[in-house]
Amino acid sequence: MAEEMDLFAAAAQNQSSIGSGSAMRFAPLAQRMRPRNFNEFVGQQEAVGGGRFLRQMMEKDQISSMIFYGPPGTGKTTLAQMIASMTGSAFKKLNAVAAGIGDIRQIVKEADDARKFYQKRTIVFIDEIHRFNKSQQDVLLPYVEDGRLILIGATTENPFFEVNHALLSRVRIVRLYQLTDGQLVKILRQALTDKERGLGGQPINISDEVILAMAQMAGGDARMALNILEGTASMLPLTGGEITLDMVQEILGQRVQRYDKAGDNHYDTVSAFIKSMRGCDPDAALHYLARMLAAGEDVKFIARRVVICASEDVGNADPMALVVAMNAANAVQFVGMPEARIILGQAVTYIASAPKSNAAYMGIDAALQDVRSKNCGAVPAHLRDAHYKGAAKLGHGTEYIYPHDYPGHFTEQAYLPKEIQNAHYYQPSDNGQEKRMGDYLRKCWPDRF
């Protein structure tokens, strides 16, 4: 359902009345402490720092269509609220989970009236825009294109995956980043000292150590940090008291992992996991493995990625890596969690610590490229099957030379079709076992290796 965004802005304007019986005093601390202006806004200097594009547009009321993209609790909705309070345009809000095409068409009608009768632009803020399906996004497209609507979307998911290309080409992507521990500490201190909107009127004792622990447990999410603070403060008597680390841990239970198996963060974590193994960093590989395990990732999925990495990135530099990975994949299914974490830890550290080569991976891809794009010719006659009656009459296998009949169990003969006789797919690296393999191949084929 659509909402008039002036109500959204009014919430910010009325926050100063918290102590006078306003309904805002019953709002969560994170809502009450939303920044009302740039002086109160913490972080995201790349987007809203002095002289930056977005800040200038907001201060000059020259907003163009854009999508705020970033993790939860980094300021997407807050920036929309600030735009609502600073803009001279009509401002509408939609939540993609609840809104339908009918809501969009209604906003377009109101936007036409606002432009016709009041010479006002209309800005529509769509929270969780990644949840709009293709049809809903297509409905928006012509109105964004002709300027009847200025779109501001907010999403935690990569818009390049979740938003139509046609719509993306008409908006500016504003990337917001996970807040640092230091920025979260600053936000928490603001809440602790603000007597109107925060907890400044409540006698609370809290050490720097505990504030930092709250920030670290929030994982870059300002909303979560303030929720932790509010939860622990609620455990104190009205006369105040001390917030301890034990209270924080009791409120939180265990840290919530920011990890959605179907979301952007999932793919980022898996990518970092694989790249850490490939980059010979067992500590980083274990870290990302721990993130996935703590978030409840399917251990079979993790094991499959380990097996792939063992072949793609270690390859023949250490052929045992694939043996270790496959044994781990089987053992994980046999044992299950929580002990599967030990097996995965062993396999991951082995592969991360092993010498690396992608020569086999590159070789098969190069061979496939030739097969798919070239006339590679027929299988040479001397290599064809000669086990059936009449094969010799066709010349199949008659000139084949059996390598084991010769010293070194090798004899030089053509194995590739003549059309691609100079193809060279496998290029052994100088790492680990593969170096020895390369030395042997150079003895066999000095002109090729």
Side-chain angles (χ1 to χ4, degrees):
M1 299 296 289
E3 300 176 27
E4 289 285 354
M5 199 57 162
D6 55 358
L7 295 178
F8 195 36
Q13 296 167 358
N14 289 338
Q15 285 182 7
S16 61
S17 63
I18 289 172
S20 60
S22 166
M24 273 301 293
R25 65 184 170 187
F26 299 112
L29 179 63
Q31 173 66 23
R32 303 199 309 266
M33 289 302 301
R34 276 196 193 279
R36 297 163 294 189
N37 52 55
F38 287 116
N39 290 332
E40 296 176 352
F41 195 90
V42 176
Q44 312 303 346
Q45 291 303 296
E46 300 89 345
V48 298
R52 295 289 185 172
F53 171 77
L54 176 57
R55 182 160 181 168
Q56 288 189 44
M57 285 201 306
M58 292 173 66
E59 290 175 341
K60 295 176 182 178
D61 192 10
Q62 295 177 348
I63 299 297
S64 60
S65 291
M66 67 187 80
I67 291 178
F68 297 143
Y69 160 47
T74 52
K76 299 183 297 294
T77 304
T78 293
L79 283 173
Q81 176 175 303
M82 289 169 60
I83 290 172
S85 64
M86 296 169 69
T87 184
S89 306
F91 216 112
K92 308 286 185 177
K93 181 185 179 184
L94 288 174
N95 187 293
V97 175
I101 290 176
D103 297 302
I104 298 172
R105 297 196 189 283
Q106 178 62 31
I107 286 179
V108 172
K109 181 180 181 302
E110 293 171 2
D112 286 337
D113 291 343
R115 184 165 60 171
K116 180 178 179 181
F117 297 114
Y118 305 106
Q119 291 74 54
K120 269 192 171 186
R121 300 175 303 165
T122 296
I123 299 174
V124 56
F125 172 63
I126 302 179
D127 199 11
E128 299 186 90
I129 193 171
H130 61 275
R131 294 183 182 271
F132 260 11
N133 60 36
K134 184 178 185 300
S135 297
Q136 290 169 310
Q137 292 182 31
D138 286 345
V139 170
L140 279 171
L141 184 61
Y143 308 118
V144 172
E145 187 170 23
D146 67 18
R148 271 185 279 181
L149 292 180
I150 296 171
L151 170 66
I152 299 178
T155 178
T156 57
E157 303 297 329
N158 192 327
F160 294 99
F161 296 156
E162 304 294 339
V163 179
N164 292 353
H165 177 74
L167 189 56
L168 273 181
S169 67
R170 291 160 176 81
V171 302
R172 184 184 183 97
I173 304 297
V174 178
R175 182 75 184 268
L176 303 183
Y177 296 92
Q178 183 172 295
L179 297 173
T180 66
D181 290 346
Q183 289 166 344
L184 292 178
V185 166
K186 184 175 181 179
I187 290 169
L188 289 168
R189 290 194 184 282
Q190 287 177 347
L192 283 164
T193 56
D194 191 311
K195 293 184 179 180
E196 292 185 358
R197 299 179 297 150
L199 304 175
Q202 187 174 347
I204 294 175
N205 295 320
I206 183 169
S207 68
D208 292 344
E209 178 189 7
V210 173
I211 294 176
L212 179 59
M214 287 182 177
Q216 292 172 336
M217 290 177 178
D221 184 334
R223 186 184 303 108
M224 183 181 291
L226 290 168
N227 287 344
I228 295 171
L229 175 59
E230 184 175 32
T232 51
S234 69
M235 298 173 67
L236 299 175
L238 295 177
T239 55
E242 181 180 3
I243 294 177
T244 65
L245 191 57
D246 287 342
M247 294 167 64
V248 174
Q249 292 171 339
E250 182 178 347
I251 285 291
L252 204 58
Q254 69 177 39
R255 180 173 173 176
V256 177
Q257 295 297 312
R258 191 176 306 295
Y259 186 89
D260 179 355
K261 293 181 187 178
D264 195 35
N265 192 263
H266 161 82
Y267 296 105
D268 288 345
T269 304
V270 173
S271 175
F273 173 58
I274 294 167
K275 289 172 181 173
S276 297
M277 287 191 289
R278 180 184 299 148
C280 297
D281 191 332
D283 292 329
L286 285 174
H287 170 76
Y288 294 114
L289 172 63
R291 283 196 185 195
M292 291 188 287
L293 291 174
E297 180 61 83
D298 183 356
V299 291
K300 295 191 293 295
F301 169 83
I302 298 173
R304 284 194 295 271
R305 306 316 303 176
V306 174
V307 170
I308 293 168
C309 187
S311 187
E312 178 180 341
D313 295 306
V314 177
N316 288 325
D318 183 355
M320 277 300 297
L322 184 56
V323 176
V324 170
M326 278 304 302
N327 283 339
N330 291 330
V332 159
Q333 296 187 62
F334 178 70
V335 172
M337 284 294 283
E339 288 81 3
R341 78 190 189 283
I342 306 168
I343 297 162
L344 287 171
Q346 178 186 351
V348 164
T349 50
Y350 186 99
I351 290 165
S353 305
K356 301 297 189 293
S357 171
N358 68 345
Y361 161 55
M362 298 297 289
I364 183 57
D365 279 3
L368 281 169
Q369 178 63 25
D370 272 4
V371 169
R372 290 166 177 164
S373 62
K374 295 181 180 179
N375 174 16
C376 293
V379 175
H382 65 285
L383 300 181
R384 296 185 188 183
D385 182 16
H387 287 85
Y388 60 93
K389 187 176 181 180
K393 293 181 180 180
L394 297 174
H396 292 183
T398 55
E399 296 183 13
Y400 174 63
I401 302 171
Y402 189 57
H404 296 294
D405 290 339
Y406 292 83
H409 299 264
F410 170 80
T411 183
E412 190 171 336
Q413 63 184 317
Y415 290 94
L416 282 167
K418 62 181 180 180
E419 287 85 352
I420 56 168
Q421 61 184 354
N422 294 321
H424 185 28
Y425 303 123
Y426 183 49
Q427 302 181 38
S429 73
D430 290 333
N431 286 341
Q433 177 67 22
E434 196 164 42
K435 184 180 187 304
R436 293 189 287 274
M437 294 168 59
D439 291 341
Y440 173 74
L441 288 171
R442 278 185 283 275
K443 291 179 181 178
C444 296
W445 306 98
D447 295 335
R448 285 171 54 192
F449 295 91

